[in-house]
Structures are given as structure tokens and as C-alpha cells.
Amino acid sequence: MLHDEVVNRIRAILLDGEIPPGARIPERELCERLEISRTPLREALKVLAAEGLVQLLPHRGSRAAKLTDKDMRDLFEVCQGLEALAGELACERISDAEIDAIAAAHADMVQHYRERDLIQYYRGNRAIHEAIVTAAGNPVLAGLYASVTARIRRARYVTPMTAQRWALAVKEHEAILNALQRRDGVGLAHILRAHLRHKREEVLQAGFAETEGNDVTLRIA
Amino acid sequence: MLHDEVVNRIRAILLDGEIPPGARIPERELCERLEISRTPLREALKVLAAEGLVQLLPHRGSRAAKLTDKDMRDLFEVCQGLEALAGELACERISDAEIDAIAAAHADMVQHYRERDLIQYYRGNRAIHEAIVTAAGNPVLAGLYASVTARIRRARYVTPMTAQRWALAVKEHEAILNALQRRDGVGLAHILRAHLRHKREEVLQAGFAETEGNDVTLRIA
DNA sequence: GAGCTCTGTTTTGAATGCAAAAATGAACTT
DNA sequence: AAGTTCATTTTTGCATTCAAAACAGAGCTC
């Protein structure tokens, strides 16, 4: 198994919440499961620590990173900035074919909204945002975006998605698609910022906080 | 020696250009120099690879990453976005004391400009930009910024800093300080973007490209 | 009975050893 | 002489080993 693959598999385990935030990472167990020895496992853990997904405590092993409200806020803030930048760049560089693909994904997502299928809706949502970042044509940006969204997503949350909020989100997405089609970079950046600000408010208002007593209620498998 | 320290020392070696871009990283030699064995060294190299400073080639060792024109452009683009975001946030959160400190650093830098001391000027310049990022009060942002600027700086370049360009840069810095003092986030973001765009143009126009034949002329020790 | 100390166990972090892959280079072919 | 092939050397990547640090728990002190 290649180094990157080891990193990705452990990342997936963390993102899936299989090792909950704050929990110790069982070195020996993971070694057996991935059928590797401690050396490559530890290399991967250091990489993930640099990414912010794992916390290393000298002589006390590694734990799955636990996010505070502040961390979450910071991550959203940066995510906003990155998406806004991606939106602007995407408008300059996106091809008609890419716009069509995003329009299709958007229609798909709206359909899931109509069916009130939250999971599929989220999936479609994510695909659109990722497509915009990809369309920006900047791998450095894409890399940072992936790292930030991974950390956010790792804290699996379910916001109490009210009908109003959901409707608003869909409306915003329509505006996003519209701005893209008009290739209105500045407008798109603004909409994306507002969109994420709303998302953040939802999440934080829902009482996100990965503290001892408060992390079970909001987590889904 | 602690893990992070190993990473930092190797990072410093790379940033200092002691191992030029594209060059093989001599594992054995570095081990002797840092007085560590291969295990911790290799852990550090994987971390630096995740950061983008080192390139790992399976079964062929690691090399100091080499940046193309495109990489450089991408890095500057992201850097612009991050600084603009930092500027906006800083205006919301910066304390009077921090503003005073930046004003002092600015005066210092202007003095170096008057003395035409480019090295000191660059140093002061960097300190101001870093202070703004710090003032944004967002460690996630600060971390990404550090990673991006490290990669940019690693490609040590000397742009043919003409009198006009230098004067313009100083003028822009005055506007930056001014916007900060007025706590004009949007304005500051704009100025920072323009400032970095100019910087990028300088660097790229100067013919940056870490290709085989073209990497000596522009590098300083 | 609460708290401290000391000892045995576990776990961590790093050095070493070993198998496999790549680089080197000498001999050979054309 | 240029290119190819094969054996030798070097380097890489990982498993294992080893010392030191943290942990756990029994016994001791007060």
C-alpha cells in the first residue's frame, strides 16, 4: 500500500467519524486493520496532524482532533474566503461545458430538495461547490479548500434544517448558478460569501461544540 | 529533538535555498547533520511533502519541489485571496495597540526604503503583512498563509526593483496603513489585492521559472 | 480512608536491519 | 561507437527492535 493511500484511508476513517473527535487513535489496532507496521502508520499520522485532523501529544500518542466553536468559526471564515476567490476565478475561466455540468448538478440537487432527501441534497450541494472550485483552475486553491472542508465536514453535524432555511439555501444556489452563467465574478463571490455565512450561522447556532458533554447529540453516523 | 523541530529545520534548509529546487534531498547526509536517524527524517519529509515543499517520488526518494510559472501564479492568486480576507477581518478585530505597532513597522520600512536597503525593506514588508494576518485573529487563516508564503518565498527571487515600482509599493503600503487605521476592511482588501497583483506581475514578468536552464539567474543565497 | 511512592507493564519514539526497487556501470552486440 | 543487457551497488520503504517515557496499581504512610 502506497503512502498516500495510507493517509487517505486514515483520513476517511476520521471523516467517517469512526474514531470520534478527541478519541485516542489506537496505533496497534489500525496497524492490524490496514495490515501495515507502525512506521508507515506513524508517518501518515504526522501528515494528518499537519493537516489539522490529528493532534499529536508528545509521548502520549495521537488523538483525533477536537474542534471548538472558535475553530469551527475560523474554518468557516477561511472557507468563505476561499470559495469567494474560487467563484471569481471560475467566472473568468470556466468553460461552457463546465457551466452546463454545474447546471445539471443544480437541477439534480433541486430535485432532491423537492423530494426532501437531505442526504442526497447535501451530496449534490457539495458536488456543485467542488465543481466551482475545480473550475477556478487553481490546484493550490483546490488543495487548501479540500483541507478546510475536510476539517469542517469531519465534525459531522445535522443542523435543524427548517423549511425556510432550506428554501433560502436553494434560492441562493439559484443565484449562484445564475451568476456563473453570467460569468459575474464579483456577484458570485458575494453570493457565495452570504451563502456560507448562513450555513455557518446555522451550524454554530445549532450549538456546535465538540466538547465532552456536547458532541453526541449533533453527530450522525 | 522534537518532531516539529525537525520539520522546521528542514523547512529552513529548503527556504534558505541550501537545497535548490529540483535537487535530490540527501537522506543520509541530512541524518548526519541533524543527528537523527532516517525514521524521524522521513516522517518530516512526508509532512513537508504534504505542505508542497518537497516532492516524493515512489522508490526514487524526495526532491525539493520545483515551481513552474503556473504554480507561482496559483500561489500568488491564493495569497491575494488570503491577504484580502485577513485585511477585512483584521479591520474588524485589530486593537489600537496592534495598529500602532504596524504603524511603527511601517515607519521603519519607509526608513529602509529611504536608505535603499532592499533586504531590510523586504524584512519589514514581510513583518507588516504577517502582522495583518495575525491581527485577523484566525489561526487557520494564519496557517494557510504561512504555508503559501513559504512556498512562494522558497523560490528566492530578486525582481529588478525599479525606482518607480519601489515607490509604488511604498505608496501602496501607505494606503494599507491608512485603511487599517480607518478600519476600512473592504478598502484594505482591495489595496492588498492590488498590491499583491503588482508584486506577482513583477515576479512573473521578471521571468520566474524554476526550469532546468532558468533557475540560477534569479536566485540569491 | 485519602494520598503518596515505588515497581511492573504498556506505549511511545527512534535506531537498526532487511527485502525490494532503482541506479550504476561494465561487458557485449551490432 | 552507440546502444543493450546483466550483474553489482546503492537507496528506498518497511518491519522489527530497543530505550525511555507515561501509565497502572499494589503497598505504604499518615
Side-chain angles (χ1 to χ4, degrees):
Chain A
M1 184 152 46
L2 213 57
H3 164 73
D4 279 339
E5 206 186 322
V6 176
V7 174
N8 285 333
R9 286 197 54 184
I10 302 174
R11 204 202 322 265
I13 290 173
L14 291 169
L15 291 179
D16 287 350
E18 212 174 313
I19 297 176
R24 271 186 66 142
I25 293 174
E27 258 186 33
R28 189 152 299 282
E29 225 174 274
L30 265 186
C31 285
E32 286 168 21
R33 175 158 162 196
L34 303 183
E35 291 175 305
I36 54 176
S37 78
R38 283 179 58 224
T39 307
L41 178 80
R42 288 169 53 77
E43 283 172 357
L45 288 178
K46 306 243 159 153
V47 169
L48 291 167
E51 269 181 42
L53 282 173
V54 165
Q55 194 178 2
L56 298 177
L57 301 126
H59 293 286
R60 286 187 193 184
S62 36
R63 315 181 83 82
K66 187 186 284 191
L67 300 181
T68 63
D69 259 22
K70 171 72 161 69
D71 292 331
M72 204 59 173
R73 212 182 308 267
D74 289 348
L75 284 166
F76 264 104
E77 227 164 55
V78 173
C79 195
Q80 264 175 57
L82 294 177
E83 283 210 24
L85 176 61
E88 278 189 67
L89 297 175
C91 282
E92 294 171 24
R93 296 166 191 172
I94 196 166
S95 69
D96 290 338
E98 280 176 306
I99 289 184
D100 291 346
I102 289 176
H106 176 80
D108 221 54
M109 192 190 72
V110 170
Q111 185 54 36
H112 292 310
Y113 165 64
R114 293 228 179 83
E115 292 161 1
R116 294 295 185 279
D117 184 341
L118 193 58
I119 299 295
Q120 287 301 320
Y121 170 80
Y122 270 141
R123 199 185 303 273
N125 189 334
R126 202 182 136 199
I128 291 168
H129 286 276
E130 275 170 8
I132 293 174
V133 170
T134 302
N138 185 326
V140 174
L141 174 58
L144 298 188
Y145 181 73
S147 149
V148 168
T149 50
R151 276 186 271 177
I152 289 175
R153 260 194 322 129
R154 189 185 136 290
R156 299 241 158 189
Y157 44 79
V158 194
T159 55
M161 189 70 133
T162 65
Q164 285 101 326
R165 291 206 149 139
W166 201 349
L168 175 63
V170 172
K171 218 166 185 173
E172 284 169 344
H173 260 272
E174 249 142 51
I176 288 169
L177 179 61
N178 207 269
L180 252 184
Q181 286 171 328
R182 285 181 294 120
R183 289 190 163 78
D184 173 8
V186 176
L188 179 53
H190 275 103
I191 299 161
L192 283 169
R193 251 192 286 263
H195 183 58
L196 259 180
R197 192 166 52 242
H198 294 156
K199 180 84 189 166
R200 183 191 63 191
E201 273 159 24
E202 267 174 43
V203 171
L204 289 173
Q205 203 178 46
F208 167 87
E210 291 189 330
T211 42
E212 315 306 315
N214 194 8
D215 60 334
V216 185
T217 49
L218 296 171
R219 183 151 302 110
I220 57 171
Chain B
M1 183 153 47
L2 215 57
H3 163 74
D4 279 340
E5 207 187 323
V6 176
V7 175
N8 286 333
R9 287 196 55 185
I10 302 174
R11 203 199 325 261
I13 290 173
L14 291 169
L15 292 179
D16 287 351
E18 212 174 312
I19 298 176
R24 273 185 64 138
I25 293 175
E27 259 187 30
R28 191 151 298 283
E29 225 174 274
L30 265 185
C31 284
E32 284 167 25
R33 174 158 163 198
L34 302 183
E35 291 175 306
I36 54 176
S37 76
R38 284 179 56 222
T39 307
L41 178 81
R42 288 168 53 76
E43 283 172 357
L45 288 178
K46 306 246 157 147
V47 169
L48 291 167
E51 269 180 42
L53 281 173
V54 165
Q55 194 178 2
L56 297 178
L57 302 127
H59 293 287
R60 287 185 195 184
S62 36
R63 313 181 84 82
K66 188 185 285 192
L67 300 181
T68 63
D69 259 22
K70 171 73 161 68
D71 291 331
M72 204 59 173
R73 212 183 307 267
D74 289 347
L75 284 166
F76 264 104
E77 225 164 57
V78 173
C79 195
Q80 264 176 56
L82 293 177
E83 282 210 26
L85 176 61
E88 278 189 67
L89 297 175
C91 282
E92 293 171 24
R93 295 169 191 169
I94 196 167
S95 69
D96 291 337
E98 280 177 305
I99 289 183
D100 290 346
I102 289 176
H106 176 81
D108 221 52
M109 191 191 71
V110 169
Q111 186 53 36
H112 293 309
Y113 165 63
R114 293 228 178 83
E115 293 161 1
R116 293 295 186 279
D117 183 342
L118 192 59
I119 300 296
Q120 286 302 319
Y121 170 81
Y122 270 141
R123 200 185 303 274
N125 190 333
R126 200 181 138 201
I128 291 168
H129 286 276
E130 274 170 9
I132 292 173
V133 171
T134 303
N138 185 325
V140 174
L141 174 58
L144 298 189
Y145 181 74
S147 149
V148 168
T149 51
R151 275 186 271 177
I152 290 176
R153 260 193 323 128
R154 188 184 138 289
R156 299 242 157 187
Y157 44 79
V158 195
T159 55
M161 188 68 133
T162 65
Q164 285 102 325
R165 290 207 149 139
W166 200 350
L168 175 63
V170 172
K171 217 164 184 176
E172 284 169 345
H173 260 271
E174 248 142 51
I176 288 168
L177 179 62
N178 207 270
L180 252 183
Q181 286 170 327
R182 287 182 292 120
R183 290 190 163 78
D184 173 10
V186 176
L188 179 54
H190 275 103
I191 300 161
L192 283 169
R193 252 192 284 261
H195 182 59
L196 258 179
R197 192 167 51 241
H198 294 156
K199 179 84 188 165
R200 183 192 61 189
E201 273 158 24
E202 267 173 46
V203 171
L204 289 174
Q205 205 177 44
F208 168 87
E210 290 188 333
T211 40
E212 316 305 315
N214 193 7
D215 61 334
V216 186
T217 49
L218 296 171
R219 181 149 305 109
I220 58 171

